[in-house]
Amino acid sequence: MFGRHHRPRPKVLPTVMHPTKCHVKHHCCEYIVPEVHPSHTTNVTHHNYKHLHSFPHSESAVDQITHQHFVAGPGAPGPQVAGAICQGQG
C-alpha cells in the first residue's frame, strides 16, 4: 500500500525512582486537598516521552502512654506508698 507509514513502537525507558517522603500523623483527621499539577506539551521533534508516575505510600503508628498517680485524703502531706512498713520505729 502506497502512502501508509507505520509508526515505530514507543520505547519504555528505565524507571526514575524519587526519594521517599516521610510523614507523621498525630491525630485521626482526614483532609482532602485538591492539588492541581498543570502540564504543558510542546511537540518539536515529535518524540513523545510518557512518564508513568506512581505514588506508593507507607504508614506507621506510634502509641504514646503516660501514667499519673495521686494520693487523696485528709492529712496526706506528700507522696505516700500504700502498704509501706516503717521498721525500727518504737
Side-chain angles (χ1 to χ4, degrees), residues 2-82:
F2 292 107
R4 268 188 97 170
H5 297 282
H6 294 283
R7 290 182 152 187
R9 299 191 92 171
K11 295 179 183 178
V12 177
L13 299 179
T15 300
V16 176
M17 186 63 134
H18 296 274
T20 301
K21 292 182 180 180
C22 297
H23 304 276
V24 176
K25 287 174 34 176
H26 289 278
H27 48 81
C28 295
C29 297
E30 183 177 276
Y31 300 96
I32 298 174
V33 180
E35 296 192 25
V36 178
H37 298 272
S39 63
H40 173 78
T41 303
T42 301
N43 294 307
V44 176
T45 60
H46 300 283
H47 294 279
N48 187 19
Y49 292 87
K50 294 183 179 181
H51 298 265
L52 300 176
H53 290 267
S54 64
F55 301 93
H57 180 76
S58 61
E59 192 169 312
S60 62
V62 176
D63 292 325
Q64 295 180 340
I65 300 171
T66 59
H67 293 271
Q68 291 181 314
H69 297 268
F70 301 94
V71 175
Q80 297 179 5
V81 178

